[in-house]
Amino acid sequence: MDKDQLETLIIERKLRTALEDGTLQLHYQPKVDAQTQQVVGMEALTRWIDDELGFISPGKFIPIAEERGLINDIGEWSLRTACYQVKEWNERFGTGYKVAVNISPTHFIQPNFLSNVKQTIKETGVNPKFIELEITEESMMESTEHTIKVLSTLREYGITLAIDDFGTGYSSFSFLKQFPVDSLKIDQSFVRDLSTDNDSSAIIAVMIQLGHALGLEVVVEGVEKESELIILKKLEADIIQGYYFSKPISTKEFTEKLEYIHR
Ligand code: C2E
Ligand code: MG
Ligand code: MG
């Protein structure tokens, strides 16, 4: 066994334990209205700190979870946790925040995916209009017909759908038109050179227009600077997410933020 295989095995074993022990956490990053800068919702992102290994990023453990058959459990846990949490926040603050949960392609194509989602909604008692599922552009392109069927059913449940990491998967315009989704999340790689490079802003401008032409809400993620925000406001992006407003923060910190907003 080489070093990488050993590392994968250790992470897999520890991740199984973390799932059983309930030591995984969800952090939340605010999504804000680009024009008013008011919080409209949040994205739930899984955080894992292991006693021995320390912080392990999702970029590291999600692919291992996918490969080793743990991603369904993580997906179900994160959806259930986020449903309970957004329900609690909305009831407490009298708000209509929508929580976005990332769904892995492997999870999404499972035969029992839809029934599990339905069950989670029932069990948590959340209004599905406060739930958004983020599915990567890449995963939507795999088996188009099945994907469209699953997406349509989720929408019938009242759930909102977003294409995550938009722009990284080379989908064509006609392809995009077929998908019953509500919003596009432009990948942060397009934001990086925004304030220094004219081509980047031209590309984002086209992506925003494309989204709007298809009747979609356009979210831009990875906004770190005020200069980027100014450009994106001008380009009429709908929603912004990024370190400029806040990093993903714990449930406790997010609750404090909401207490402050609604004081
Ligand atoms: P994503 O869904 O595209 O999430 C956005 C990522 O960008 C998050 O990284 C977030 O912390 C980071 N980010 C947000 N604002 C900024 C910014 O202004 N600058 C920069 N440089 N980064 C920013 P994170 O939490 O490390 O997650 C990485 C990816 O892992 C996510 O990308 C998502 O694909 C996946 N992931 C995270 N949690 C889950 C989960 O519970 N389930 C599944 N299936 N995937 C997850
Ligand atoms: Mg996401
Ligand atoms: Mg993304």
Side-chain angles (χ1 to χ4, degrees), residues 119-171:
Q119 175 59 30
T120 303
I121 288 174
K122 203 173 143 202
E123 181 191 319
T124 58
V126 73
N127 185 332
K129 74 177 181 192
F130 300 131
I131 303 300
E132 178 162 74
L133 300 184
E134 293 191 3
I135 298 143
T136 60
E137 184 185 23
E138 209 188 325
S139 71
M140 291 196 175
M141 290 165 67
E142 265 167 31
S143 60
T144 322
E145 242 173 73
H146 179 70
T147 302
I148 292 174
K149 230 184 264 167
V150 177
L151 295 175
S152 306
T153 312
L154 290 167
R155 270 181 129 190
E156 281 163 20
Y157 294 171
I159 290 173
T160 310
L161 300 167
I163 303 184
D164 202 356
D165 302 344
F166 180 70
T168 59
Y170 309 104
S171 54

Side-chain angles (χ1 to χ4, degrees), residues 240-256:
I240 304 285
Q241 189 183 335
Y243 294 169
Y244 177 68
F245 297 103
S246 168
K247 292 198 164 182
I249 50 179
S250 69
T251 306
K252 183 171 174 282
E253 288 168 308
F254 208 105
T255 304
E256 284 164 5

Side-chain angles (χ1 to χ4, degrees), residues 136-137 163-169 184-194 203-204 207 218-223 232 241:
T136 60
E137 184 185 23
I163 303 184
D164 202 356
D165 302 344
F166 180 70
T168 59
L184 276 190
K185 274 190 104 167
I186 298 180
D187 189 67
Q188 52 178 284
S189 55
F190 295 94
V191 181
R192 283 296 70 87
D193 308 319
L194 199 55
I203 291 170
I204 285 216
M207 288 167 113
V218 179
V219 183
V220 183
E221 63 180 333
V223 175
L232 291 165
Q241 189 183 335

Side-chain angles (χ1 to χ4, degrees), residues 25-26 29 43-47 55 57-63 66 71 74-75 77-79 101-105 107 134 136 164-165 185 187-188 192 221-225 228 241-248:
Q25 281 190 23
L26 276 188
Q29 185 177 36
E43 177 174 9
L45 294 151
T46 299
R47 291 291 176 263
F55 172 80
S57 74
K60 179 104 199 169
F61 70 80
I62 293 285
E66 283 176 336
I71 197 67
I74 294 182
W77 162 81
S78 59
L79 181 62
V101 178
N102 292 285
I103 297 295
S104 134
H107 187 196
E134 293 191 3
T136 60
D164 202 356
D165 302 344
K185 274 190 104 167
D187 189 67
Q188 52 178 284
R192 283 296 70 87
E221 63 180 333
V223 175
E224 295 180 355
K225 301 181 199 150
E228 294 164 349
Q241 189 183 335
Y243 294 169
Y244 177 68
F245 297 103
S246 168
K247 292 198 164 182

